[in-house]
Amino acid sequence: MSFQSAGYPLLPVLPELVLAVGAMLLLMLGAYRGQGTTRLITTLAVVLLAVTGVLVLSLPAGKHVTFGGSFIVDDFARFLKVLALIGSAATLILSSEFLSDPSRRIFEFSILVLLSTLGMMVLISAGDLIMLYLGLELMSLALYVVAASNRDNAKSTEAGLKYFVLGALSSGMLLYGASLIYGFTGTVAFTGIAAAAKTGDVGVVFGIVFLLAGLCFKVSAVPFHMWTPDVYEGAPTPVTAFFASAPKVAALAVFTRVTLTAFPGIVPQWQQIVVFVSIASMALGSFAAIGQKNIKRLMAYSSIGHMGFALVGLASGTVEGAQGVLIYIAIYVAMTLGSFAIILAMKRNGQAVENISDFAGLSRTNPLLAFFFAMLLFSLAGIPPLAGFFAKWYVFVAAIKAGLFTLAVIGVLTSVVGAFYYLSIIKVMYFDEPLPKLDPMRVELRTVLAVAGLFNIFFFVYPGPLVSVATAAAKSLF
């Protein structure tokens, strides 16, 4: 039953309303009190994200629709909204040191993260093409500004500009695809498109190509990945951590929802696109990372590869595939946040170090940090029994059940190639001559690392809760 019949049309959007109003109030607080409120606003922003998460979880069970079907709250939306909120909250916790620097007291940073998260939540619940575009732009506009938030740094401003120009191009492609789909089906609602697009009309297929091209840019999948390494390297490290976690959740969510709910009748047409993008992303992510010297650039290529692996599940077009995508993205967020907690802790005499060679001999100067990073890298490589292995297991099994054997084999082979560059970092940490000791790690970084690292190591002991929630979320799409 829908809330509209019960007379509460705004109840499904309550978390989004609370987040929007809260962000506006914090903006007013910052505007009146000045830059001295940066720490307070960051703390309140984390609290606001936690409150929003509680509201998402406390919405009544089942599927609820409002705004004439353009906003959907189901198990799929709940799962991914909570994941996006966790990613954003962890990013704000990780960025506390970056924001405490007197030269960079920018209270707007936390508010931009909140507004971007609001866009992600709208995107995850989008039930038609107009809501999809609104969510996407709300998320992206804040991200463009955040990428260039370190205004005194030429690399950071360049990163923001590159991201903005290419992002505008991708939005144009997405809009063109949406207009073609509307023109050939006569509706913008996903359910209406599903009813009208059963024949695989050439115009609809062209529309899908442009729509998926715009979405590929947001998940940084090949061939729309070109911005990723430069923006990851140029943006401040906490911003890179944000780019690598929460926005990926929202973009993959809408990728999954659009393909499975708007085009269920023409799976073979969009499946070809997803298979190509998936193979290209896995291959580029594995091979291009081998020669990297900067850890943030390496993480950029790693994230391109991981989006390729996640799309393996989507390519199968089944419930198991959707479940695989959800488990993959949840584990990926944990691995990424843990890795970036360590990258942010890499400081000598107050100066951040970003080269892979700077990890030399870390196992002797800081054995616990080296152990956690090694576990996260093994997990990113997909080595059992760590969480990353199960993430890949679920998507490959879904692909095999759907008969996509070539895709699964290429996925396994590129995983092996990808393992090489993760293992080369471990070799630097454990076998190279040690460099001077790092500065002590801050409490907030330690907290994020402990949660992400322990989840990663002990996931195999009790995977049940995540798997069952992901299964229920995937089923709600079909």
Side-chain angles (χ1 to χ4, degrees):
M1 98 130 186
S2 137
F3 280 123
Q4 284 173 313
S5 54
Y8 299 115
L10 288 181
L11 202 52
V13 288
L14 185 65
E16 284 78 2
L17 289 174
V18 168
L19 186 57
V21 172
M24 291 300 140
L25 291 173
L26 290 182
L27 182 60
M28 290 299 149
L29 176 67
Y32 281 113
R33 299 279 300 278
Q35 302 294 5
T37 54
T38 305
R39 179 175 276 277
L40 171 68
I41 286 179
T42 308
T43 310
L44 290 174
V46 175
V47 172
L48 180 59
L49 289 168
V51 170
T52 310
V54 171
L55 286 173
V56 169
L57 292 172
S58 56
L59 286 175
K63 180 176 180 176
H64 309 293
V65 179
T66 188
F67 299 137
S70 59
F71 194 91
I72 301 168
V73 177
D74 50 12
D75 290 341
F76 178 80
R78 283 189 196 90
F79 178 86
L80 287 154
K81 280 182 186 179
V82 169
L83 199 55
L85 289 164
I86 290 170
S88 300
T91 307
L92 286 177
I93 294 167
L94 291 176
S95 59
S96 59
E97 185 180 6
F98 168 76
L99 295 172
S100 64
D101 184 326
S103 66
R104 278 197 299 260
R105 284 215 175 121
I106 35 178
F107 73 86
E108 301 93 338
F109 179 87
S110 307
I111 291 156
L112 285 164
V113 169
L114 290 178
L115 292 172
S116 183
T117 310
L118 176 63
M120 291 172 213
M121 293 176 71
V122 172
L123 192 57
I124 291 166
S125 278
D128 66 18
L129 295 170
I130 295 172
M131 192 63 83
L132 181 154
Y133 186 68
L134 281 174
L136 197 69
E137 285 308 294
L138 182 55
M139 171 179 97
S140 303
L141 287 171
L143 290 178
Y144 301 146
V145 185
V146 168
S149 58
N150 192 1
R151 286 169 295 210
D152 307 328
N153 183 322
K155 261 188 169 178
S156 175
T157 7
E158 184 196 344
L161 192 61
K162 272 183 181 162
Y163 189 36
F164 172 66
V165 171
L166 291 165
L169 177 73
S170 82
S171 292
M173 292 173 83
L174 184 130
L175 272 181
Y176 182 57
S179 64
L180 278 174
I181 291 166
Y182 171 64
F184 280 90
T185 60
T187 175
V188 288
F190 294 162
T191 46
I193 294 169
K198 286 204 167 86
T199 53
D201 194 328
V202 160
V204 175
V205 173
F206 265 100
I208 295 172
V209 171
F210 279 103
L211 188 72
L212 295 189
L215 294 176
C216 282
F217 178 88
K218 298 300 173 197
V219 294
S220 59
V222 177
F224 303 96
H225 64 284
M226 56 302 239
W227 59 275
T228 318
D230 293 341
V231 173
Y232 272 45
E233 185 184 5
T237 310
V239 175
T240 309
F242 183 48
F243 275 16
S245 54
K248 292 276 193 287
V249 174
L252 259 184
V254 75
F255 214 121
T256 309
R257 193 188 282 281
V258 167
T259 48
L260 296 177
T261 61
F263 306 106
I266 49 171
V267 173
Q269 278 84 341
W270 59 257
Q271 193 178 47
Q272 296 169 26
I273 304 168
V274 176
V275 167
F276 165 74
V277 166
S278 171
I279 291 173
S281 301
M282 291 188 295
L284 183 110
S286 300
F287 287 99
I290 290 173
Q292 299 304 323
K293 302 279 183 282
N294 180 297
I295 187 74
K296 280 159 72 180
R297 275 187 93 82
L298 185 132
M299 289 303 287
Y301 285 110
S302 162
S303 88
I304 293 169
H306 281 288
M307 289 303 108
F309 289 117
L311 291 174
V312 169
L314 180 58
S316 62
T318 58
V319 177
E320 281 109 341
Q323 175 208 17
V325 173
L326 295 176
I327 293 171
Y328 200 101
I329 192 67
I331 291 172
Y332 166 79
V333 167
M335 297 189 293
T336 303
L337 290 171
S339 303
F340 273 101
I342 291 169
I343 294 167
L344 280 159
M346 294 293 292
K347 289 197 163 184
R348 284 201 180 86
N349 311 323
Q351 287 297 313
V353 287
E354 288 180 3
N355 287 329
I356 292 167
S357 55
D358 291 310
F359 287 91
L362 189 64
S363 63
R364 273 168 276 180
T365 55
N366 195 332
L368 191 62
L369 194 64
F371 169 75
F372 267 115
F373 199 27
M375 287 300 111
L376 287 161
L377 290 167
F378 277 134
S379 186
L380 284 162
I383 291 170
L386 299 165
F389 166 75
F390 290 97
K392 287 182 178 165
W393 168 263
Y394 281 105
V395 290
F396 289 155
V397 166
I400 289 166
K401 281 187 179 169
L404 302 171
F405 302 112
T406 314
L407 181 62
V409 169
I410 292 172
V412 172
L413 293 175
T414 49
S415 278
V416 175
V417 175
F420 170 79
Y421 60 81
Y422 295 122
L423 295 176
S424 64
I425 303 175
I426 295 171
K427 175 250 165 199
V428 168
M429 288 196 298
Y430 278 86
F431 298 107
D432 287 13
E433 280 307 305
L435 289 171
K437 213 168 175 178
L438 294 171
D439 297 355
M441 195 172 182
R442 287 171 67 107
V443 170
E444 52 270 27
L445 297 182
R446 256 188 254 156
T447 311
V448 174
L449 176 60
V451 173
L454 294 171
F455 167 80
N456 191 25
I457 296 168
F458 293 112
F459 175 75
F460 76 96
V461 178
Y462 192 44
L466 177 62
V467 175
S468 58
V469 172
T471 309
K475 281 183 179 156
S476 72
L477 281 181
F478 287 84

